[in-house]
Amino acid sequence: MAGSILLIVSYASVVVFLAAVLCRAVKISRMPIHLRWELYPVAHEKGRVSYGGSYLEEPDWWTKPRHQSLFGQLRVMIPEILFLAAVWEHNRKQWFRSFPFHIGLYLAAGLIGLLLLGGVATAAGFTVSPDAGLLAAALYHLTYLLGYAALGLGLIGAAALLARRTFETDYAEYTKKADYFNLVFFIVTFAVALAAHAVADPHFVVLRGYFARLVTFDFSSANSALAMPTGLSILEIALASILVAYIPLTHMSHFFIKWFTYHGVRWGDEPNMPGSKIEQQVNEVLQYPVSWSASHIRGDGKKTWADVATSGVEEEEDEK
Amino acid sequence: MKKRIKIEDISKPSEKLSELRKEDFKPLPAPFDTPESTPDFAPLSEKSLESYESSLDDTIALSLPKPKDKAEEDELVAKFLSGLQKLFTKENNWTFLQPLVLSMDYCASCHTCSDACHIYEASGKNPIYRPAYRSEVFRRLYKKHVKSKGGLLQAWRDGEIELNWTTVARLAELSYRCNLCRRCAQTCPIGVDNALIAHEIRKLFSQEMGIAAKELHESGSVLQLKVGSSTGMNKAVVKDNIEFIDEDVSEMTGMTVETPWDKAGADVLLIHNAGEIMAWPMNPGAFAVIFESAGLSWTMSSEIAGYDSINYGVWYDDAQFARVAIKHAEAAKKLGVKKIVLGECGHAHKALTVIADRVLTGDLNIPRESAMVTLDDLIFSGRIKVDPSRNDFPVTLHDPCNLVRLMGIVEPQRRILRKIAPRFREMHPHGVDNYCCGGGSGFAIMSGHNFNDWRHQIAGRKKLEQILNAFKDELDPSIHKYICAPCSNCKGQIRDLITYYDLWEKHSILYDGLVELIVNCMTDVKPGFIEWEMH
C-alpha cells in the first residue's frame, strides 16, 4: 500500500512539474509582442559579439543580410547554464555558494537519467551490477558516484546559501520566509537522501528498483526481484518527488524562464522589416484599447494605441 | 555606522528614509580625494521641504506637491493602485508587458546587480540606491495587489509591504534615482532588468496619475509636440539659428556652408538634438561642413519635431514616446528621403532606431542610421580627408549608454578616433561595459532644488573618476585635453561636471562631440575649428 502511494506521489510530481512548466511557458509566450529592449553584447551577432557590436554598425544595414551565429549563442549559453558564468564574473562570493548548489541539481537531474536508464534495463531483464559486463558495471558505479556528488554538492550549496541569507544583512533583508523554506526544503531532502543511501542503499540499488517499478507502472508488491523502498528511502523518494513538483511553482522556475529573458528580451534584436510577421503583430497591438487616465492620454477603453499615438497633446488638452 | 533600511521601511512615515552624507560617498581620485575638496551638497530649502514630497532622501527630482489632507492622499493611492493594475494588462502595456513580468517574477535576490550600479557605488552603497531596492518594493506591491489578494500566505511568500501615500510618494521619487543605463541588467544571471522596472514605475505615474518630471513632460515632450522642439524653437527660429551657424562655420572653415532645408527627394534627413543648435552650435555646423564636403544629398526638416530628434517619452511615457516617434517618421516621409540619420544624441538614436522599430509600420517605417556609421563610412571611403596631426592632444571617449550598451554601436566612433586622434585613450571600463555619465534618463536636463548636487556628486561621480583616470598622467593645465561625448545629453552632463568641479580652469579638460574633432583635422578646411574655451 505504502509503495503504491509512493508511486502515485512520484507520478503526480512529474505531472505537476510538466504542467507547471508548460503553463508558465505558454502564458509568457502568449503575451503580445513588446517593444525592442535588447542589451549588448547580443550573443548571436556574428563577428561583433566580442566587443558587443550590432548589425546597426553597418551602413544601410537594412539592405544587407544579417549574419547570425548559433555557435556564438552556444558559446555564451553553455558557460552560463553549466557554470553560472555571469555570477562568476560579477558576484564571485555568491558563485562559491550558488555553483555547488546548481551543479548539485544538474547532477541530480543526471542521476535521475541514469536511474531511469537503469530502471528500464532492469525492467527489460538486464542485470545492473558490478559483475554483469562492462556497460552494466559502468552504469552501476556511475549511478552512485554521480548520486553522492549530486547530493553532497547540493547540500553544501544549499547550506551555504542559507547561511548567507541568514547571517549577511544585505541578503537577509531581501529574503522572504518562503525563500528560507525553499532552502531548508532542499537541505532536508539532500540530507535525508544522503542518510538513506549511507544507511540503507549505499549503491542506489533500491532506488534503481523503484525506478524500474516507475517505468513499468508496477504497483504490485509481489515482485520480489525489486525490493520496495523502506524507511529513509521512502522519505527520500517522497521528499524528492514533492520537491520536483514544487520547483516550477516558484520563482525557481528561472531555470527555463532564462530562455525568454535572454532570447526574447536581451537578445531580441529582430528588426521590423516591411511586410514581416513583426509588422503584422505590431499592427494588431496598435489596435488594443487604452484606458490610462492621465490628461494627456485620457484613455476611455475605446481609443486605441494607434489613436493615442497619432493624436497630439494639444488635441488632448483641447478636449479638457 | 550606516543606517540599515529594510524594504518595508519605505511605508513608514518619517522625515527622511535615507540621509546623504558626503563622507559616505565613494572617494574620488586626486585632486578630489577628500570631502573638503568637492563642493558642498546644498540642503533643501525650507520652502521646498514644506511644499514638496521630500521624505526619500536629501533631494527632489519631481516636485510632487504634498497632498492637502488624508482624503487627497487616499485618492492618490487609489489612482496609483489603478495604474499598477493597468500596467500588468496587455491592452495598456503591450509595449513592455513580457519583459516586465519576467523581471517581476523571477528575481533571485542574489544582488549581482548591485556592484554594477554607479549610483549605488558612488553613494557609498546607500541601501535605497541598490538597483534591487526599488524593484523589490514594486514587486511586493504587485504581488500583493495584482497577483493575489494579499493575506498571510502571500506575505510569507512575497514579503511584507504596506501601500500608503508615503510608499507612493517615495516610490515616485525613487524611480528618478536611476539613470536607466541598464548596466545592472547586463550582469543579471537571470535576465532581470531593474532599470526596466524603474522605467515602468515612471510610466505608471505619468500615464495614470499625470506625474512626471516637468523638464521631461511639460517643457519636454509636450512642448516639442506643440512647437516642434523642447528648446521652444519654432520653425522660423530654428532656420534663423542654423543660418547664423552656417555663417559662423563658413567663416571658421573657409568653406561656404549652407544647410539645405526641406529638400524633397534628398537621400538623407539629418535630425539633430535641437539642444545642439542652442548650446553647441558648432556641432550642427560641423555636420554641415562634413556632409557638404563629402557631397552628400541631405536635408534638414522644418516640420514639427523634424528638427529635434529628442524623444523624452522613452524615459517615462509610452504615449508621448510614440507620438514623437511618429512625428519624426512623418517628417521623413513628407520629404521622401531614403533614410534618417540621427545626429549626436544617444537617446534619440535608441528611441527612433530600436524602440520605435515596433511602432512604425507601413510607409512610416523609414530606415534609420546612426551618424557614427555615416561618418565612419565617409571617412574610411576617403570622401573626407583628414590630417590627424591637427588633433595632437589627449582625447578620451565617453560611450553614451543608449548608443553602445543598448544599440551595439561601438566600433565606428572608435575607428574614427583611432584614425584622427593620435593621442586617443579609452576610459576603463568602456564600450558596452561603460558607465553612464550620470545625466542619463533625463537627469542632464533636470536641476530643480538641489538635484544638481545629487547629479554631480552621486550620479556623475563614477564618470568623473573615469575622466580623471583617463587623463591622470596629463592633468597639468598646460595640456589641453578633450572628452569626446557623441551625445547631447551626455555632453550636457559632462559640461556641468566640468563646471561643478572646475576641471577646465584647473586641468584644461574640455569636452565636445565627434564631428568637431573631425572638422578640426579636415585638410580642406582652415585649421583651428576647436576653440579651447569653456562653453
Side-chain angles (χ1 to χ4, degrees):
Chain A
M1 182 63 184
S4 297
I5 292 171
L6 198 57
L7 283 168
I8 290 167
V9 168
S10 296
Y11 290 129
S13 78
V14 174
V15 171
V16 171
F17 178 89
L18 293 175
V21 168
L22 190 69
C23 187
R24 280 185 189 264
V26 168
K27 194 176 162 195
I28 292 167
S29 306
R30 283 191 176 169
M31 286 180 182
I33 189 170
H34 56 81
L35 297 182
R36 275 172 64 183
W37 196 246
E38 67 252 36
L39 195 56
Y40 290 85
V42 167
H44 56 235
E45 192 64 63
K46 197 173 184 181
R48 292 189 169 99
V49 71
S50 61
Y51 65 86
S54 72
Y55 61 89
L56 298 169
E57 288 187 331
E58 200 65 43
D60 296 335
W61 60 264
W62 54 94
T63 62
K64 298 174 182 170
R66 289 172 63 211
H67 300 291
Q68 296 193 335
S69 163
L70 178 63
F71 176 69
Q73 267 191 50
L74 294 174
R75 212 162 57 173
V76 174
M77 285 165 63
I78 291 171
E80 180 53 41
I81 293 167
L82 291 184
F83 305 113
L84 313 185
V87 185
W88 169 260
E89 192 180 341
H90 302 293
N91 192 353
R92 196 66 55 90
K93 275 174 81 177
Q94 182 72 357
W95 187 88
F96 285 109
R97 294 158 173 86
S98 194
F99 179 69
F101 176 67
H102 283 89
I103 200 73
L105 293 177
Y106 296 158
L107 295 178
L111 171 67
I112 290 172
L114 291 183
L115 288 168
L116 274 172
L117 189 62
V120 170
T122 305
F126 295 98
T127 305
V128 180
S129 70
D131 46 10
L134 191 62
L135 281 176
L139 184 58
Y140 177 86
H141 292 299
L142 200 57
T143 302
Y144 67 80
L145 289 174
L146 195 72
Y148 285 117
L151 300 175
L153 285 166
L155 179 60
I156 291 166
L161 288 170
L162 181 65
R164 189 167 214 201
R165 294 209 167 272
T166 307
F167 300 114
E168 287 192 29
T169 322
D170 283 354
Y171 282 81
E173 280 166 4
Y174 284 74
T175 306
K176 275 80 75 180
K177 293 186 177 72
D179 298 326
Y180 289 117
F181 172 81
N182 295 345
L183 285 168
V184 169
F185 193 174
F186 277 107
I187 290 168
V188 169
T189 305
F190 287 133
V192 165
L194 276 171
H197 292 292
V199 172
D201 185 20
H203 294 102
F204 290 60
V205 173
V206 175
L207 211 49
R208 187 161 39 248
Y210 181 73
F211 270 76
R213 286 182 185 275
L214 267 179
V215 295
T216 52
F217 299 91
D218 181 359
F219 284 78
S220 80
S221 53
N223 189 348
S224 57
L226 301 175
M228 262 299 194
T230 53
L232 277 173
S233 295
I234 292 179
L235 194 55
E236 173 196 9
I237 293 166
L239 284 169
S241 299
I242 296 167
L243 189 58
V244 164
Y246 178 68
I247 289 172
L249 301 175
T250 70
H251 72 84
M252 292 183 285
S253 45
H254 63 239
F255 72 89
F256 76 94
I257 291 296
K258 276 176 87 159
W259 194 90
F260 294 97
T261 56
Y262 276 67
H263 293 267
V265 183
R266 192 183 277 198
W267 299 341
D269 64 346
E270 185 71 28
N272 171 18
M273 302 306 277
S276 64
K277 190 179 169 202
I278 288 179
E279 187 177 59
Q280 190 189 332
Q281 288 174 304
V282 172
N283 281 326
E284 279 169 26
V285 292
L286 286 172
Q287 297 309 315
Y288 282 174
V290 181
S291 57
W292 291 109
S293 304
S295 63
H296 66 283
I297 302 178
R298 296 165 71 87
D300 54 6
K302 290 177 190 157
K303 262 200 297 199
T304 66
W305 275 99
D307 297 333
V308 169
T310 50
S311 66
V313 174
E314 66 273 32
E315 293 163 40
E316 304 291 345
E317 298 290 321
D318 292 345
E319 284 175 32
K320 277 196 261 183
Chain B
M1 189 178 157
K2 266 190 272 180
K3 188 180 149 195
R4 303 300 317 176
I5 298 170
K6 294 181 180 171
I7 307 293
E8 53 268 36
D9 288 345
I10 199 164
S11 313
K12 295 175 185 162
S14 64
E15 195 181 326
K16 214 178 296 170
L17 182 61
S18 176
E19 197 179 359
L20 302 178
R21 299 180 310 180
K22 260 170 73 174
E23 56 270 31
D24 292 336
F25 299 167
K26 183 180 192 278
L28 284 165
F32 303 105
D33 43 355
T34 59
E36 302 77 51
S37 58
T38 58
D40 284 332
F41 198 115
L44 286 165
S45 69
E46 286 299 318
K47 195 181 165 206
S48 300
L49 291 168
E50 266 173 35
S51 312
Y52 302 111
E53 285 297 340
S54 58
S55 70
L56 179 71
D57 50 11
D58 284 303
T59 191
I60 294 176
L62 277 178
S63 299
L64 192 58
K66 287 187 174 173
K68 288 190 284 293
D69 48 30
K70 180 75 170 57
E72 193 182 341
E73 282 184 7
D74 291 346
E75 192 186 329
L76 287 163
V77 171
K79 270 190 174 179
F80 173 85
L81 191 53
S82 150
L84 182 65
Q85 279 152 353
K86 288 176 190 172
L87 198 65
F88 291 92
T89 62
K90 69 175 188 178
E91 290 80 10
N92 281 300
N93 199 23
W94 63 266
T95 49
F96 286 100
L97 183 64
Q98 192 190 63
L100 176 62
V101 167
L102 291 169
S103 285
M104 296 304 280
D105 285 350
Y106 298 101
C107 175
S109 303
C110 69
H111 291 327
T112 303
C113 51
S114 300
D115 287 342
C117 176
H118 59 292
I119 291 176
Y120 178 61
E121 183 186 348
S123 68
K125 306 201 169 181
N126 188 318
I128 66 164
Y129 297 152
R130 189 189 283 282
Y133 185 82
R134 173 192 313 104
S135 303
E136 185 58 25
V137 168
F138 196 58
R139 186 173 289 118
R140 290 187 186 187
L141 291 170
Y142 151 73
K143 293 200 169 174
K144 186 170 178 179
H145 297 281
V146 179
K147 269 203 110 175
S148 69
K149 291 189 165 52
L152 283 177
L153 180 65
Q154 186 276 325
W156 174 85
R157 192 183 58 215
D158 305 320
E160 301 281 349
I161 194 82
E162 191 187 339
L163 177 58
N164 54 24
W165 173 243
T166 305
T167 312
V168 172
R170 284 175 173 162
L171 192 59
E173 273 293 330
L174 197 49
S175 68
Y176 287 84
R177 298 293 185 278
C178 167
N179 282 120
L180 309 184
C181 77
R182 299 179 70 206
R183 200 168 188 273
C184 58
Q186 205 178 30
T187 65
C188 179
I190 293 170
V192 168
D193 190 339
N194 291 302
L196 173 72
I197 294 172
H199 175 262
E200 296 298 291
I201 298 170
R202 289 185 185 191
K203 270 171 48 184
L204 186 168
F205 279 102
S206 179
Q207 296 176 182
E208 184 67 8
M209 303 173 76
I211 294 171
K214 188 182 170 198
E215 295 89 339
L216 303 186
H217 188 64
E218 286 168 59
S219 355
S221 61
V222 172
L223 189 60
Q224 184 183 21
L225 288 163
K226 274 186 180 166
V227 302
S229 165
S230 66
T231 60
M233 284 190 294
N234 62 23
K235 179 178 178 168
V237 174
V238 73
K239 282 185 159 183
D240 271 357
N241 283 344
I242 287 286
E243 195 180 330
F244 286 130
I245 291 170
D246 285 346
E247 283 169 19
D248 283 352
V249 166
S250 298
E251 195 179 316
M252 288 172 80
T253 59
M255 269 181 68
T256 305
V257 175
E258 195 178 335
T259 296
W261 282 100
D262 301 318
K263 197 167 99 183
D267 289 345
V268 169
L269 167 64
L270 175 65
I271 317 185
H272 294 293
N273 176 323
E276 300 281 348
I277 299 166
M278 303 286 280
W280 301 286
M282 288 307 106
N283 184 281
F287 264 105
V289 169
I290 295 168
F291 280 15
E292 288 291 295
S293 183
L296 276 192
S297 162
W298 71 291
T299 186
M300 282 181 67
S301 162
S302 63
E303 287 295 311
I304 291 275
Y307 53 92
D308 192 354
S309 63
I310 68 135
N311 193 339
Y312 295 162
V314 80
W315 295 320
Y316 77 98
D317 191 300
D318 288 342
Q320 293 296 86
F321 159 74
R323 286 167 172 163
V324 171
I326 286 173
K327 290 284 181 200
H328 287 144
E330 283 174 347
K333 181 184 155 191
K334 188 173 177 188
L335 293 172
V337 296
K338 290 183 182 152
K339 63 182 170 188
I340 298 171
V341 168
L342 290 148
E344 295 189 5
C345 180
H347 89 273
H349 266 76
K350 187 186 68 173
L352 196 58
T353 314
V354 175
I355 304 191
D357 192 41
R358 293 186 184 168
V359 172
L360 304 173
T361 58
D363 54 7
L364 288 179
N365 190 0
I366 294 153
R368 285 87 68 193
E369 181 174 284
S370 165
M372 302 299 109
V373 176
T374 316
L375 294 166
D376 180 52
D377 192 35
L378 293 178
I379 288 173
F380 284 89
S381 64
R383 291 165 82 178
I384 296 293
K385 301 275 187 287
V386 292
D387 171 10
S389 68
R390 290 190 187 180
N391 285 336
D392 188 19
F393 43 81
V395 174
T396 191
L397 173 67
H398 163 67
D399 281 305
C401 305
N402 285 302
L403 199 60
V404 175
R405 183 163 38 253
L406 310 185
M407 272 185 82
I409 297 181
V410 185
E411 263 301 300
Q413 57 271 41
R414 290 187 153 69
R415 212 159 30 227
I416 295 171
L417 284 175
R418 287 194 290 266
K419 183 175 172 82
I420 68 167
R423 293 165 72 184
F424 168 60
R425 78 282 314 270
E426 293 277 12
M427 292 186 191
H428 294 285
H430 57 263
V432 291
D433 299 322
N434 75 317
Y435 280 103
C436 171
C437 60
S441 82
F443 291 177
I445 54 163
M446 290 165 61
S447 53
H449 308 281
N450 61 354
F451 196 70
N452 250 347
D453 285 324
W454 188 87
R455 176 154 71 89
H456 299 127
Q457 298 221 24
I458 296 181
R461 198 173 194 85
K462 195 70 191 173
K463 187 49 63 179
L464 175 66
E465 179 189 88
Q466 284 197 291
I467 292 168
L468 292 170
N469 286 337
F471 295 131
K472 67 180 172 196
D473 298 325
E474 291 169 300
L475 283 175
D476 185 330
S478 67
I479 306 168
H480 285 157
K481 293 164 281 286
Y482 190 99
I483 305 162
C484 174
C487 165
S488 225
N489 286 296
C490 300
K491 216 154 57 180
Q493 166 72 359
I494 289 170
R495 172 196 59 199
D496 294 351
L497 277 176
I498 289 175
T499 307
Y500 193 82
Y501 291 96
D502 211 8
L503 297 180
W504 169 242
E505 288 298 326
K506 288 180 181 163
H507 301 292
S508 296
I509 298 176
L510 204 62
Y511 72 101
D512 245 320
L514 179 63
V515 282
E516 291 91 327
L517 266 179
I518 295 174
V519 174
N520 198 52
C521 70
M522 278 171 61
T523 53
D524 50 358
V525 307
K526 288 195 290 193
F529 185 77
I530 291 175
E531 294 178 320
W532 293 95
E533 287 171 359
M534 186 56 195
H535 51 276

